[in-house]
Amino acid sequence: MISKKIKEHVLGSSLIRAMFEEGKKMTELYGADDVHDFSLGNPNTPPPPVVNEIVGDILKNEKPTYVHGYMNNAGHESVRAAIAASANKRFGTNFGQNNILMTVGAAGGLNVILKTLLDPEDEVVVFAPFFGEYRAYTGNYGGNLVVVSANTETFQPNLKEFEEKLTAKTKAVIVNSPNNPTGVIYSESTIKDMAQVLGRAQEKFGTSIYLIADEPYRELVYDGDFVPYLPNYYKNTIVGYSYSKSLSLPGERIGYLVIPSEVDDYEDVLNGAIVSNRISGFVNAPSLQQLLVAKCLDVEIDVSGYNKNREALYQGLSEAGYECVKPQGAFYLFVKSPIENDVKFCEMAKKYHILIVPGAAFTCPGYVRIAYCVAYETIIAALPKFKKLIDETRQKQ
Ligand code: PLP
């Protein structure tokens, strides 16, 4: 008999993963060209070519015991120092190696920091729509997720409701920008206002509220848009970064946490996070991948392929009559479901071999997410089918 908690997770298992599995089955049945799988944020862009060269160089030139051995649970010192220096250059910060902790992707980093911060019944605030795994990650440590409802006009956070939902039990707030599933970047004025709200709440309750910036999509930005670096706006910010999307390395499981020296109880938070990384069973982030990313800090990220997809999909769907906010970053389009029931709409889409994810998976029913990190041809082939799909919903009304 497995644990009740895990049993619940198995039963409510990720809608997105279920879709992904269904996509694989459909591909076997109908062939890849006739299946339009927009379900998972799995980058189709290959890693920059230099990645393979760097891995080869590391394996050839570095001492095997250094590349493959155990290390400090926070990660290689040289890697952490290089990442700190790179952040300082980009964001005008003053980090050193003791502000960086290498993690097993963003998911590993989020779990490590939540494990470090949360006591049972502590509250973690998130803004709908949000990456559904936040609910599981918070629950892993007995925390309660508090959801601020979506502002479906702009998908910027609803700060009035946010302020109302902060309590003496609020330990952390998770912000994800550029956002999965909307592709929206939280504006600088939003971030400034959010910092003020948090400052007021800390004073009112006499507590520390940590803002966790979940940033796997920081590099995937279009039209030169600006993504505010949250530690520069609010002192108690911890950043979670990942190379899964920027370098297209999601299977390699590599990222890091930034824990600035200015955060309340810095020494405790840092040491707690290092221990959490160890006792979660990660021990340390994958060594070869750490050495790799430290050498990729100046690699330019080419978003032109995703941008081409974004333009084609946004234009094609708008012309077909779908409503959506044009994404500024990441590789997702969040579209208003033409019928109220988004789950039913995703079911209807399957008839056209289109796989998309209901907004319910992001606590925002009435919408659907289309991940456009796919081949351009997949989008072009799917557009006429999206048109037929919306026409079908109109006939039924
Ligand atoms: N956070 C968000 C918002 C994501 O979309 C994802 C993955 O899709 C993750 C975290 C997890 O990323 P990683 O592969 O780095 O663990």
Side-chain angles (χ1 to χ4, degrees):
M1 183 79 153
I2 63 171
S3 94
K4 291 192 190 82
K5 200 165 164 179
I6 291 299
K7 187 109 193 169
E8 271 172 33
H9 280 298
V10 174
L11 290 173
S13 208
S14 163
L15 270 169
I16 303 176
R17 287 272 157 189
M19 284 273 179
F20 183 61
E21 292 306 321
E22 195 152 350
K24 281 200 291 194
K25 269 191 219 140
M26 270 196 188
T27 305
E28 278 167 27
L29 277 174
Y30 308 113
D33 289 347
D34 195 27
V35 177
H36 318 290
D37 187 352
F38 300 100
S39 61
L40 198 64
N42 199 10
N44 76 314
T45 305
V50 72
V51 161
N52 282 358
E53 283 168 34
I54 294 172
V55 171
D57 284 350
I58 294 169
L59 292 175
K60 199 161 130 214
N61 300 324
E62 300 287 357
K63 257 175 84 177
T65 46
Y66 174 63
V67 179
H68 302 300
Y70 282 126
M71 69 192 74
N72 184 327
N73 298 129
H76 286 292
E77 282 80 1
S78 62
V79 171
R80 290 155 54 214
I83 288 174
S86 163
N88 295 342
K89 208 163 67 183
R90 286 181 70 185
F91 308 119
T93 46
N94 199 15
F95 302 141
Q97 68 180 53
N98 286 335
N99 300 115
I100 309 292
L101 190 160
M102 301 308 294
T103 63
V104 178
L110 287 167
N111 273 277
V112 161
I113 198 62
L114 291 171
K115 186 177 179 73
T116 306
L117 295 177
L118 296 186
D119 280 313
E121 306 304 324
D122 278 348
E123 292 172 357
V124 176
V125 180
V126 294
F127 299 95
F130 61 90
F131 179 54
E133 296 292 82
Y134 294 159
R135 192 177 291 283
Y137 300 166
T138 300
N140 281 345
Y141 313 103
N144 291 329
L145 202 73
V146 174
V147 179
V148 176
S149 56
N151 158 10
T152 52
E153 288 286 301
T154 60
F155 289 108
Q156 295 284 323
N158 178 345
L159 293 181
K160 188 167 173 291
E161 186 179 323
F162 175 51
E163 185 146 28
E164 287 160 10
K165 289 200 162 158
L166 295 172
T167 73
K169 286 189 170 176
T170 309
K171 187 55 92 51
V173 175
I174 306 178
V175 159
N176 167 227
S177 167
N179 182 263
N180 173 10
T182 63
V184 163
I185 295 173
Y186 292 175
S187 70
E188 186 175 32
S189 76
T190 297
I191 298 301
K192 283 183 175 163
D193 291 347
M194 187 184 286
Q196 297 247 323
V197 170
L198 285 166
R200 281 200 293 275
Q202 288 192 134
E203 225 175 280
K204 178 170 161 194
F205 302 117
T207 54
S208 301
I209 304 178
Y210 294 92
L211 182 61
I212 301 171
D214 180 26
E215 299 203 333
Y217 303 100
R218 164 163 286 278
E219 263 52 85
L220 306 188
V221 167
Y222 310 108
D223 306 328
D225 244 313
F226 166 65
V227 185
Y229 194 62
L230 271 49
N232 290 340
Y233 297 84
Y234 179 68
K235 182 175 83 81
N236 276 336
T237 299
I238 291 163
V239 181
Y241 186 82
S242 162
Y243 293 91
S244 292
K245 317 287 173 168
S246 56
L247 291 181
S248 297
L249 296 173
E252 303 299 347
R253 315 304 307 132
I254 187 71
Y256 60 84
L257 285 171
V258 181
I259 304 176
S261 308
E262 292 75 22
V263 302
D264 289 348
D265 302 319
Y266 159 71
E267 293 281 343
D268 277 355
V269 176
L270 176 71
N271 292 326
I274 295 171
V275 170
S276 294
N277 199 34
R278 191 190 86 218
I279 67 176
S280 295
F282 300 134
V283 184
N284 55 252
S287 173
L288 177 60
Q289 305 309 326
Q290 290 190 40
L291 298 172
L292 163 67
V293 298
K295 291 194 187 304
C296 291
L297 295 170
D298 293 324
V299 169
E300 198 150 322
I301 308 302
D302 179 9
V303 295
S304 59
Y306 295 139
N307 194 26
K308 191 172 161 198
N309 288 358
R310 174 183 77 126
E311 294 290 355
L313 191 63
Y314 177 73
Q315 200 187 328
L317 292 184
S318 301
E319 279 168 14
Y322 289 91
E323 280 175 51
C324 54
V325 172
K326 190 172 185 182
Q328 300 159 287
F331 39 47
Y332 306 107
L333 198 71
F334 205 49
V335 182
K336 193 165 193 308
S337 170
I339 57 172
E340 205 180 323
N341 186 333
D342 50 309
V343 178
K344 195 166 155 212
F345 180 69
C346 293
E347 279 302 313
M348 284 174 71
K350 281 186 201 160
K351 206 169 83 186
Y352 299 91
H353 302 169
I354 292 175
L355 292 161
I356 48 181
V357 182
F362 309 94
T363 317
C364 191
Y367 288 78
V368 296
R369 187 192 77 173
I370 306 177
Y372 58 83
C373 46
V374 296
Y376 179 68
E377 294 70 33
T378 303
I379 292 172
I380 298 307
L383 283 175
K385 298 191 179 176
F386 272 111
K387 174 82 176 91
K388 284 189 186 151
L389 177 59
I390 197 169
D391 288 346
E392 185 188 334
T393 66
R394 284 170 178 158
Q395 280 155 17
K396 285 197 171 156
Q397 274 168 4

